[in-house]
């Protein structure tokens, strides 16, 4: 991102070349570029790059509203080392992820929680604080237990936790994930922006 007063001076192009040099050393399987869907300048710029559209995500913000507990027995507890295999399994079946975590809370930027129904594992959720914003990510409920209100109650619990800390709550969801989208809308989230992702071809 370049300040509007300094655009069209080659700054972003220079930054892109430097970033690509670093990426070449890392040799990742995939490189994604993202840009706001409403940014006309980004769309024009991306047309000149060797990339193809991959997917889009809505950024959503929780708008204050009243909600009551609808399902008892659902709670969140901080994930422990023994939850690692379970978390990797959920990532695989819910997100088709091929990357395996090597540790719980291996990043100090977020905290992992296990969703439990009467002390039985049903899913997981991550909360990442960024200043006064808290971002919910990695939210997954076992497929056979979806649609039973567990995810909604877990989400409401996470929202309440962050509200007690005075945080604003955000999340991102893929446009194609209609089930999750409906869940978030029903729990008080509203779309504030859409981000498009493009895969860099090399």
């Amino acid at each position: 991102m370049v300040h509007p007063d300094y655009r069209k001076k080659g700054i972003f192009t220079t930054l892109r070349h430097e970033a690509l040099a670093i990426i070449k050393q890392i040799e990742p399987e995939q490189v994604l570029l993202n840009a706001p869907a409403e940014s006309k300048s980004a769309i024009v710029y991306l047309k000149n790059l060797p990339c193809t559209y991959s997917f889009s995500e809505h950024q959503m913000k929780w708008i204050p509203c009243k909600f009551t507990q609808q399902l008892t027995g659902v709670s969140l507890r901080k994930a422990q080392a023994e939850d690692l295999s379970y978390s990797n399994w959920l990532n695989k079946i819910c997100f088709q992820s091929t990357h395996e975590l090597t540790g719980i809370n291996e990043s100090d930027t977020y905290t992992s929680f296990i969703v439990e129904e009467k002390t039985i594992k049903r899913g997981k959720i991550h909360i990442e604080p960024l200043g006064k914003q808290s971002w919910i990510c990695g939210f997954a409920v076992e497929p056979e237990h979806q649609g039973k209100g567990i995810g909604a109650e877990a989400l409401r619990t996470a929202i309440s936790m962050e509200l007690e800390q005075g945080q604003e709550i955000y999340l991102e969801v893929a446009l194609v994930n209609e089930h999750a989208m409906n869940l978030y809308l029903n729990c008080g989230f509203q779309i504030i922006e859409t981000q498009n992702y493009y895969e860099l071809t090399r």
Side-chain angles (χ1 to χ4, degrees), residues 1-4 6-7 11-12 15 34-36 193 195:
M1 184 180 297
V2 177
H3 190 285
Y6 297 94
R7 291 176 182 170
I11 295 174
F12 189 83
L15 292 174
N34 79 296
E193 192 173 273
Q195 292 281 336

Side-chain angles (χ1 to χ4, degrees), residues 112-149:
S112 299
F113 295 89
I114 296 297
V115 178
E116 292 187 332
E117 181 190 22
K118 298 178 180 178
T119 71
I120 300 174
K121 295 179 185 180
R122 297 301 191 207
K124 68 180 182 69
I125 190 169
H126 304 318
I127 300 178
E128 181 176 8
L130 296 171
K132 296 299 293 181
Q133 299 179 358
S134 286
W135 285 80
I136 291 174
C137 55
F139 182 30
V141 174
E142 296 177 14
E144 60 268 35
H145 293 287
Q146 294 177 8
K148 299 179 180 180

Side-chain angles (χ1 to χ4, degrees), residues 9 12 26 43 53-54 72 83 86 88-89 95 107 129 134 151 182 197-198:
K9 298 179 183 296
F12 189 83
I26 301 173
I43 293 173
Y53 171 79
S54 183
T72 59
D83 298 310
Y86 179 72
N88 279 326
W89 174 72
F95 304 130
S107 169
S134 286
N182 290 332
Y197 289 80
Y198 301 80

Side-chain angles (χ1 to χ4, degrees), residues 41-192:
S41 59
I43 293 173
V44 171
Y45 187 85
L46 288 167
K47 284 182 178 179
N48 297 317
L49 297 182
C51 62
T52 57
Y53 171 79
S54 183
F55 64 96
S56 296
E57 287 185 333
H58 286 316
Q59 292 182 338
M60 305 183 77
K61 179 181 180 180
W62 186 76
I63 305 302
C65 65
K66 292 183 179 180
F67 51 70
T68 57
Q69 188 179 50
Q70 297 181 355
L71 187 66
T72 59
V74 176
S75 60
L76 302 181
R77 66 164 175 82
K78 192 171 181 179
Q80 305 297 323
E82 56 267 25
D83 298 310
L84 179 60
S85 60
Y86 179 72
S87 295
N88 279 326
W89 174 72
L90 277 176
N91 284 337
K92 183 177 181 180
I93 64 171
C94 294
F95 304 130
Q96 291 75 52
S97 174
T98 58
H99 170 70
E100 288 202 355
L101 300 174
T102 58
I104 291 294
N105 294 320
E106 62 179 16
S107 169
D108 58 6
T109 62
Y110 67 81
T111 301
S112 299
F113 295 89
I114 296 297
V115 178
E116 292 187 332
E117 181 190 22
K118 298 178 180 178
T119 71
I120 300 174
K121 295 179 185 180
R122 297 301 191 207
K124 68 180 182 69
I125 190 169
H126 304 318
I127 300 178
E128 181 176 8
L130 296 171
K132 296 299 293 181
Q133 299 179 358
S134 286
W135 285 80
I136 291 174
C137 55
F139 182 30
V141 174
E142 296 177 14
E144 60 268 35
H145 293 287
Q146 294 177 8
K148 299 179 180 180
I150 296 173
E153 195 57 45
L155 188 59
R156 285 190 283 266
T157 300
I159 291 170
S160 297
M161 287 170 48
E162 296 312 296
L163 287 178
E164 290 180 0
Q165 303 299 318
Q167 295 288 90
E168 296 181 340
I169 302 129
Y170 297 81
L171 54 78
E172 293 180 328
V173 59
L175 270 64
V176 296
N177 194 342
E178 294 183 6
H179 176 76
M181 177 71 67
N182 290 332
L183 170 63
Y184 299 145
L185 290 171
N186 290 335
C187 286
F189 284 89
Q190 293 184 14
I191 299 168
I192 57 172

